[in-house]
Amino acid sequence: MPPEGCPPDASAGGGSMALERLRAVPARWRALVALLAGAGSALAMPPFGLWPVLALTLPLLVFLIDATVDQPLGRALRAAFLAGWLFGLGYFVAGLWWIGEAFLVQADAFLWLMPFAVIGLPAYLALYTGLGCALARLLWMPGPGRVLAFAVALTAAEWLRGILLTGFPWNNFGYALATDLRFAQAASAVGMMGLCLLALAALASPAALFDARFRPQASPRDRYAPLALSVAVLGLVWAGGQWRLATTEVDTVPDVRLRLMQPDLPQDQKFRYDARRTVMDLYVSTSESAGGLQGVTHLFWPESAFPFFLEREPEAVERIAAMLPEGTTLVTGAARFEPVPGRERPDVFNSLRVIDTNGAVLAHADKMHLVPFGEYLPFQETLESIGLQQLTRVRGGFAAARERELLAIPGLPASVPLICYEAIFPDEVMPPAAAPGQRPGFLLNASNDAWFGITPGPYQHFEQAQLRAIEQGLPLIRVTNNGISAIVDPVGRITGLLPLGVRGVLDGALPQALPATIYATYSSWIPLISLLTGLLLVLMLRQRDIQA
């Protein structure tokens, strides 16, 4: 009886021998191939952006699943899962090792947790890659259609990775193509998940040169058509992106002059209360550089700017008021507290504040999607009772906003506030309660990537925020402690940038928003439509191959 998903074939002899040779490779060597292929795939992400490397590594993962085709289904699923998990482990360790830098900031308290971040988190994230490969094996078929099955299954797994257990869609495979701004334009229609499906299908297509028994395809059409189609689709997407960039003209909002201040403050000083005056001196002197603040309408400071609560430091408020000329508004990160009736300890929020020339707070926005173990602990009270703390060391952890709301800044269009890694969640960008027809004018991402030093992390974070601008057709103001701070127009072009590890200011105009993109209009449906369409095609191809 033929193995599940692989019907009998009169010419299977040579293919079976090739498959047996592949399966005869010791398991430890196949495991090493999966691990190294995953690690090499991290080169597709910023700051390297070598996305063609996936055309080498993804086919290897397909071949490792091919090696299971003559096994009983249960054993085959376990083998496919293991291959995917090892691939994912290599990918996430190589792509996310920089998270360990955060545990060196207060090494006396947190160094012992570094292995859990550098190995434990990738091991968890790799479960989704393993799940995707196991699902792909369920959909497997002899011919080139298995490449599409692989892409659909892994895209579904990536979607789950972005939503389960608060979600962590960092370095989704779609970001590989987004490193090229021309490919990234497709996100205005299909979003990150559409780019993910495209990247996985197109860059795994060299595997279609062989069938599921690891032999050359008998039909030249079956052998070369998937690769040719992938090259053609990538070429059309690239050309369409080039056309969009060449033909999209973006005006600027009149009578607005922005200044972004990047202090490059060492992270080990940022939360020291005894350094509060040094911090304020640095912020004020850096903000007033480049000819002073005259003519600047809006000054932006990064996330968690102060090692204190503004409400408890009138001297700091007075310095801000003295610094701001008439007509200049400050938008800054600043934690705030809110008393809770019947409870001694107030809620503390990671917030953005809008401050006028009198030092008055005109508006604020609180962070909604908090960082687990960074801003809060699961089972906070229980873990605190045994001496554990989150990295920010806020007693009780930060509280979260109930929902995202637009932030009103005088003299500017309404903004979408995205604090730190909130910018990595494409489905959480727009406020659900926005009035019909009320479209914000820009995205505001205030962050503090100094936790991670001069590593790939800030480059990856910036690309993800940049893709949010393209998806929504909205310009982006991104201000960070040590970089990357930038002004980005609604098609993702950088109009001004302060590099990583540089202290200084960036002056610039605010680009105007474009009309709502396809993705902005239908964002909640696009991942589902993409996956269901891909699954329908897989089932049709599988039925055709079984009947052949």
Side-chain angles (χ1 to χ4, degrees):
M1 177 174 253
E4 189 273 336
C6 294
D9 188 330
S11 60
S16 294
M17 287 191 294
L19 179 64
E20 286 303 317
R21 285 195 293 269
L22 177 63
R23 291 177 56 189
V25 175
R28 63 179 180 275
W29 290 112
R30 277 183 279 141
L32 183 61
V33 166
L35 196 66
L36 293 178
S41 299
L43 292 172
M45 297 296 148
F48 311 105
L50 302 177
W51 61 266
V53 75
L54 293 181
L56 300 175
T57 59
L58 292 177
L60 286 175
L61 186 54
V62 173
F63 295 150
L64 290 171
I65 302 175
D66 283 339
T68 72
V69 297
D70 282 340
Q71 298 175 2
L73 183 58
R75 184 178 172 187
L77 291 176
R78 290 192 296 271
F81 176 86
L82 179 60
W85 184 82
L86 288 167
F87 183 96
L89 181 64
Y91 177 64
F92 291 116
V93 168
L96 300 178
W97 63 265
W98 47 267
I99 293 177
E101 287 281 318
F103 297 86
L104 298 175
V105 174
Q106 302 173 77
D108 58 327
F110 296 111
L111 184 61
W112 68 277
L113 288 170
M114 183 185 286
F116 294 95
V118 176
I119 302 296
L121 177 62
Y124 161 70
L125 297 175
L127 293 175
Y128 293 97
T129 317
L131 177 65
C133 288
L135 177 59
R137 178 61 185 84
L138 278 176
L139 299 170
W140 221 238
M141 63 193 80
R146 75 196 197 286
V147 173
L148 183 58
F150 170 82
V152 170
L154 240 61
T155 299
E158 287 288 87
W159 176 70
L160 288 175
R161 179 164 72 89
I163 61 174
L164 292 183
L165 298 179
T166 80
F168 191 65
W170 201 285
N171 282 3
N172 178 290
F173 289 107
Y175 288 119
L177 291 182
T179 57
D180 187 314
L181 196 56
R182 289 153 293 201
F183 284 128
Q185 298 308 304
S188 64
V190 298
M192 179 186 71
M193 295 311 300
L195 278 179
C196 179
L197 182 59
L198 172 62
L200 289 169
L203 298 177
S205 64
L209 295 173
F210 302 89
D211 70 7
R213 297 181 185 277
F214 202 62
R215 65 182 177 195
Q217 294 280 6
S219 164
R221 184 193 65 181
D222 286 347
R223 186 177 186 186
Y224 295 108
L227 185 58
L229 179 62
S230 296
V231 171
V233 170
L234 287 177
L236 286 173
V237 172
W238 188 94
Q242 178 65 28
W243 175 82
R244 187 171 191 256
L245 290 168
T247 58
T248 302
E249 296 183 2
V250 178
D251 294 327
T252 58
V253 177
D255 304 320
V256 169
R257 181 187 173 197
L258 310 175
R259 172 165 292 182
L260 282 57
M261 189 277 295
Q262 183 169 291
D264 195 29
L265 180 67
Q267 188 62 28
D268 59 357
Q269 294 183 28
K270 194 169 180 64
F271 294 114
R272 284 174 46 196
Y273 180 72
D274 62 352
R276 61 193 183 281
R277 289 186 176 84
T278 302
V279 170
M280 285 301 301
D281 289 343
L282 174 62
Y283 286 180
V284 171
S285 62
T286 306
S287 298
E288 292 180 334
S289 63
L293 287 168
Q294 290 297 331
V296 173
T297 58
H298 298 86
L299 172 65
F300 292 86
W301 288 357
E303 176 198 14
S304 302
F306 313 110
F308 51 79
F309 293 109
L310 277 175
E311 291 83 354
R312 295 176 178 173
E313 298 291 332
E315 180 183 342
V317 176
E318 290 171 4
R319 290 204 65 184
I320 290 172
M323 173 192 67
L324 295 176
E326 189 66 31
T328 302
T329 301
L330 171 66
V331 183
T332 181
R336 73 177 190 90
F337 65 90
E338 187 175 286
V340 179
R343 202 174 75 190
E344 180 180 353
R345 191 168 58 211
D347 280 343
V348 178
F349 296 88
N350 186 351
S351 299
L352 289 174
R353 309 285 195 94
V354 180
I355 302 175
D356 68 8
T357 54
N358 298 315
V361 176
L362 304 179
H364 72 266
D366 299 327
K367 189 173 184 180
M368 182 183 74
H369 200 133
L370 302 177
V371 181
F373 303 100
E375 294 171 311
Y376 75 98
L377 295 174
F379 312 107
Q380 183 81 38
E381 292 185 4
T382 301
L383 293 181
E384 278 189 339
S385 69
I386 61 174
L388 295 182
Q389 303 176 80
Q390 66 274 0
L391 286 174
T392 50
R393 287 184 155 180
V394 174
R395 184 69 177 169
F398 280 100
R402 290 184 175 85
E403 63 180 14
R404 195 172 313 288
E405 297 179 349
L406 298 180
L407 180 63
I409 304 171
L412 293 179
S415 67
V416 178
L418 302 170
I419 300 176
C420 192
Y421 98 143
E422 287 186 313
I424 76 172
F425 298 96
D427 297 335
E428 297 181 10
V429 168
M430 300 305 290
Q438 182 183 14
R439 178 161 163 78
F442 67 100
L443 307 177
L444 173 57
N445 180 214
S447 189
N448 176 27
D449 289 345
W451 286 103
F452 309 111
I454 310 299
T455 67
Y459 293 97
Q460 295 168 7
H461 197 183
F462 174 66
E463 185 204 29
Q464 294 175 64
Q466 185 181 21
L467 194 65
R468 301 292 86 78
I470 298 170
E471 288 170 342
Q472 298 294 332
L474 296 174
L476 167 71
I477 297 175
R478 187 169 195 268
V479 57
T480 70
N481 179 13
N482 73 324
I484 300 166
S485 300
I487 301 171
V488 178
D489 80 1
V491 293
R493 292 176 294 215
I494 299 168
T495 64
L497 181 141
L498 284 168
L500 186 62
V502 171
R503 177 176 297 162
V505 295
L506 170 65
D507 290 348
L510 176 63
Q512 289 188 348
L514 295 176
T517 62
I518 294 174
Y519 180 81
T521 305
Y522 302 106
S523 58
S524 59
W525 290 99
I526 284 177
L528 182 61
I529 292 171
S530 300
L531 288 172
L532 289 178
T533 302
L535 179 60
L536 179 62
L537 287 173
V538 168
L539 294 176
M540 291 171 60
L541 289 170
R542 195 168 187 273
Q543 185 64 28
R544 186 202 67 176
D545 281 354
I546 290 175
Q547 292 175 350

